[in-house]
Amino acid sequence: MRNKRNSTIALVLGTIACLVGGWLLLRGATSLTTFPLNTLSPQGRKADIIYDLVVPVFAIAGLVFILVEVGVVWMAYRFRRNEEDREGEGEPVQVHGNTGLEIGWTIVPALLLAVIAVFNANAILQMDDVREDAIDVTVIGQQWWWEYRYDTDSDGAVDIITASQLVMPAGRDVKLAIQSRDVIHSFWIPALNGKKDAVPGRTHDLVLEAAEPGIYEGQCTEFCGLSHGVMRMQVKVLDQADYDEWVDIMTTPPEQPTDDAAVAGQELFVQQCSTCHQVNGLEPGAQAPYEYAEMPNPNYGEDVGSTLLSQNAPNLTHLMMRDTFAGSLLDLYEDSDVNAIDSGVGLGSVVPEGEPNYNNLKRWLRNPESIKPMDPANNQGMPNLGLSEAQIDELVAYLVTLK
Ligand code: CUA
């Protein structure tokens, strides 16, 4: 009797667990706002291909799972030892071998897999297809942020370098050439496509396309050191006209600072920051007044490594054109909630709106390691420069002019 009651309890608990799990899965599948890293809420044509493959395969697998589980439970019940046999009349009747069944459960799965393979191969071929008017962007993984390099006029020279946020127009293919400067990272925007590893010395292609403007979240998915867990990325999708405006702004030097604090901040930036961070046209050790060089900056050659002035640090020329900084970990603007699609502030606007988030910028300059685990002694992340509060104020006054 006790065994019977226990198995009934197990059956009921198991059923409840399955229902709750299924409900959570379905709930997640319907929302990108609550779950921004939701691969089951496709927002572009590449993600649609994956989704259209996953759903039927999952349905077939689910059906097989249910049939097998029902079979197991039914057989356990149907062929259990009878109550009358309890006293131990030897073993139950042994049944062995049923040729028809065995051939059946070998052939049916093989056929199922063969059918799925056809759709699978078709989907893989579709993933590689790129439209003619695709925009080329080189993506470089780095401990612990992403750099994006655009060749907007397809002349082979880089003319925009930015970080944290990849900006692209809605409805256009963007062909990413994914690389890494240090260790293996993995680039993943779940709403737009699958994952692609960034491997040092190699280039991996990935095509992104988003149907609608919005901000789409991503997360590095290959363990890459101390701050792997907070190595985020965002794709900001604008409509084509806004994207063109963005390109215009990004290829125009920001205005020179005029107020005293910002001018002092620029001076400080050249002394303290410019050996790693580049602001196009500012050269480390240059003398004031600082003149902006013509774009594209001659320091951006084809060679990513040695000729680049910004050494392993984000290019800050148009810092304030991003909604987030520090590897997309911190908001650059007050009241900014770019962590969800359709969330309002900054969304879809070429230049993010609102007050700069002075608090975040200052916290970052005060002690970057306290916000993001880093190892600057080994060239991984930003060092604490031991700046005074007055210096921090000046630097921030300069940084917020970089639009
Ligand atoms: Cu980069 Cu994990």
Side-chain angles (χ1 to χ4, degrees):
M1 276 310 272
R2 176 170 295 167
N3 278 346
K4 210 170 193 177
R5 194 189 309 145
N6 282 352
S7 52
T8 309
I9 291 171
L11 197 67
V12 169
L13 287 180
T15 310
I16 292 172
C18 285
L19 288 175
V20 170
W23 176 76
L24 282 175
L25 201 68
L26 284 175
R27 192 167 165 272
T30 57
S31 166
L32 197 61
T33 316
T34 331
F35 305 98
L37 296 179
N38 188 349
T39 195
L40 295 176
S41 180
Q43 305 292 320
R45 68 188 195 99
K46 296 298 180 186
D48 284 341
I49 295 169
I50 297 175
Y51 185 79
D52 292 345
L53 181 68
V54 164
V55 170
V57 169
F58 192 75
I60 293 170
L63 189 67
V64 170
F65 174 80
I66 289 170
L67 290 177
V68 169
E69 289 306 308
V70 168
V72 166
V73 171
W74 178 74
M75 278 182 249
Y77 180 77
R78 172 68 183 77
F79 298 106
R80 74 195 188 284
R81 174 180 275 181
N82 292 327
E83 284 294 326
E84 300 87 70
D85 272 354
R86 271 288 143 84
E87 296 312 314
E89 294 288 309
E91 307 230 316
V93 183
Q94 297 297 297
V95 186
H96 182 260
N98 182 324
T99 314
L101 269 181
E102 283 173 13
I103 291 176
W105 65 52
T106 306
I107 287 186
V108 171
L111 280 177
L112 267 179
L113 288 178
V115 170
I116 288 171
V118 172
F119 291 100
N120 213 343
N122 184 39
I124 289 169
L125 292 176
Q126 285 181 55
M127 294 304 286
D128 285 343
D129 150 69
V130 191
R131 289 174 183 149
E132 288 253 313
D133 64 346
I135 297 164
D136 286 307
V137 179
T138 302
V139 176
I140 301 165
Q142 160 102 28
Q143 284 165 323
W144 289 273
W145 54 282
W146 295 92
E147 179 167 285
Y148 306 106
R149 297 167 168 244
Y150 292 68
D151 172 14
T152 50
D153 47 11
S154 303
D155 66 348
V158 173
D159 29 38
I160 295 173
I161 299 186
T162 183
S164 294
Q165 252 181 350
L166 171 69
V167 177
M168 59 188 232
R172 278 277 286 284
D173 279 3
V174 174
K175 191 175 167 215
L176 306 180
I178 300 175
Q179 304 171 355
S180 168
R181 234 181 239 151
D182 37 47
V183 298
I184 302 178
H185 304 270
S186 191
F187 188 85
W188 189 40
I189 307 290
L192 302 183
N193 203 335
K195 299 172 186 178
K196 193 70 95 172
D197 279 3
V199 180
R202 300 190 56 155
T203 298
H204 293 160
D205 289 343
L206 182 74
V207 180
L208 291 187
E209 189 264 0
E212 298 291 334
I215 288 178
Y216 303 90
E217 298 283 325
Q219 161 70 41
C220 177
T221 51
E222 180 74 36
F223 180 70
C224 55
L226 286 173
S227 276
H228 156 71
V230 289
M231 183 170 169
R232 299 179 186 170
M233 58 272 218
Q234 288 175 333
V235 171
K236 180 176 179 176
V237 179
L238 303 169
D239 61 35
Q240 182 68 49
D242 284 351
Y243 173 76
D244 292 339
E245 192 187 338
W246 180 81
V247 169
D248 277 350
I249 297 173
M250 293 298 284
T251 48
T252 309
E255 280 176 24
Q256 285 283 5
T258 46
D259 78 82
D260 291 347
V263 169
Q266 189 184 42
E267 183 95 40
L268 199 58
F269 181 90
V270 172
Q271 291 162 10
Q272 294 273 4
C273 317
S274 67
T275 44
C276 296
H277 288 282
Q278 179 144 6
V279 166
N280 295 0
L282 287 190
E283 288 186 36
Q287 301 298 308
Y290 308 106
E291 300 285 339
Y292 276 85
E294 259 196 22
M295 298 284 290
N297 191 296
N299 293 305
Y300 303 146
E302 283 291 308
D303 180 4
V304 169
S306 55
T307 58
L308 189 75
L309 278 178
S310 51
Q311 291 166 355
N312 306 346
N315 182 303
L316 300 179
T317 310
H318 289 281
L319 171 70
M320 299 309 288
M321 291 295 286
R322 307 167 193 161
D323 295 86
T324 53
F325 73 111
S328 279
L329 193 56
L330 299 177
D331 285 333
L332 249 182
Y333 286 88
E334 294 283 352
D335 305 320
S336 176
D337 178 20
V338 292
N339 289 320
I341 193 168
D342 287 340
S343 58
V345 178
L347 187 77
S349 64
V350 185
V351 183
E353 288 154 12
E355 269 292 291
N357 195 319
Y358 289 97
N359 188 34
N360 276 353
L361 283 164
K362 287 178 187 176
R363 279 201 300 146
W364 181 248
L365 291 176
R366 215 170 272 139
N367 187 0
E369 284 175 76
S370 69
I371 295 172
K372 197 167 149 183
M374 293 186 284
D375 184 11
N378 288 309
N379 202 19
Q380 298 172 5
M382 175 153 148
N384 183 347
L385 294 170
L387 301 162
S388 71
E389 284 303 308
Q391 287 178 313
I392 290 172
D393 286 346
E394 288 172 356
L395 267 179
V396 170
Y398 171 57
L399 290 175
V400 298
T401 67
L402 296 171
K403 270 198 175 170

